Structures are given as C-alpha cells and as structure tokens.
Amino acid sequence: MPPLRKAPGERLNVYIDVDHTILLSTANELHLRPGTREAVARLKAAGHRVFIWSASGARHCLRVVELHGLSEWVDGCFDKDPSVEPPPDLIIDDDWYLVEKYGGFAVRPFRALDPDDDELLRVLDELASLGHL
C-alpha cells in the first residue's frame, strides 16, 4: 500500500466496495463478508468517515447497507466515480487496479462462503499497525 496522505490520528475518508469485497450474491441471498460489521464499526469508532461505493450504483449500496444493518456506521453511499466528494483517502476493494489508483487495501475477492474469511480483519490489523485505529 502506498503511504497515506494523512498522518495517524487524522480522520480518513474510507471507501469500501460492495460486490466481491463485502458482498457475495447467490441465487437466493446476499451474503455479507465475515468481519464487515466489525470493520465498519471499528473504522467509525476510530473517528473515520466510512462510505460504501459500487459500480452498480448508490442505490445498490444503500440496499446492502440497510439490508445488513450497517447504517449506523456508514456516512454515505455512492456510485464509483473518480470525482466523488469527499475524495477517498483510502479504499478497500477486490480490484487491485483501483487500489493502486486510489491507495488502500486490496482484499481477496469474496466469491464463496468461508466462515474463516479474515480479509477485512487483516485490513484492520494493517491500519492499526500504521496508527490509524
């Protein structure tokens, strides 16, 4: 990960992708990745702003946030757009290209249910080691 533009202790604008990052869609259900609630709650408790975004649009993000009870920790839902405001300080995404473009953490794509999936907890550990949690 490239160095963050903000020093430890400064509030970050964290953008988290939906599809294959925190959400797995199956024929019957929308599954939330293990650790998602803890990740957004810890980011918010540390004073950061948490945004959910997706190429599928803001409405899709809002549906996921409401369906999975994340509203109390999420500051906004957006379409993935390079001119989004406020601009991302870091992103969490399964797309390596976007992580390199914006800075942040790439996670393994969430394509199968795995109760031992710890991708988001790994991100929290890395943020803590950098002094941002």
Side-chain angles (χ1 to χ4, degrees), residues 6 10 14 19 27 29 35 45 52 54 57 61 81 83 89 94-96 101 114 117:
K6 293 189 176 177
E10 286 188 75
V14 180
D19 298 309
E29 228 175 312
I52 306 297
S54 174
C61 296
D81 181 339
S83 62
D89 294 310
D94 66 302
D95 184 330
W96 286 88
K101 178 179 177 180
D114 176 3
D117 183 313

Side-chain angles (χ1 to χ4, degrees), residues 32-126:
L32 197 61
R33 181 177 222 143
T36 299
R37 282 185 186 82
E38 181 177 346
V40 295
R42 282 188 56 197
L43 287 164
K44 193 67 179 168
H48 304 303
R49 296 177 71 193
V50 178
F51 301 98
I52 306 297
W53 68 347
S54 174
S56 297
R59 181 172 284 167
H60 175 56
C61 296
L62 185 58
R63 178 176 173 233
V64 170
V65 165
E66 290 175 348
L67 179 67
H68 291 286
L70 304 174
S71 298
E72 68 183 282
W73 304 296
V74 173
D75 294 291
C77 294
F78 296 99
D79 185 28
K80 273 189 185 174
D81 181 339
S83 62
V84 69
E85 286 294 329
D89 294 310
L90 75 88
I91 69 166
I92 301 170
D93 205 302
D94 66 302
D95 184 330
W96 286 88
Y97 170 77
L98 289 176
V99 170
E100 285 188 18
K101 178 179 177 180
Y102 291 100
F105 297 94
V107 295
R108 183 173 33 90
F110 184 37
R111 297 196 186 277
L113 294 176
D114 176 3
D116 297 322
D117 183 313
D118 67 349
E119 287 292 294
L120 295 176
L121 301 179
R122 178 185 58 79
V123 169
L124 293 178
D125 288 345
E126 289 187 44

Side-chain angles (χ1 to χ4, degrees), residues 4-12 48 130-132:
L4 294 175
R5 294 174 292 215
K6 293 189 176 177
E10 286 188 75
R11 182 169 74 172
L12 300 172
H48 304 303
L130 294 170
H132 290 283

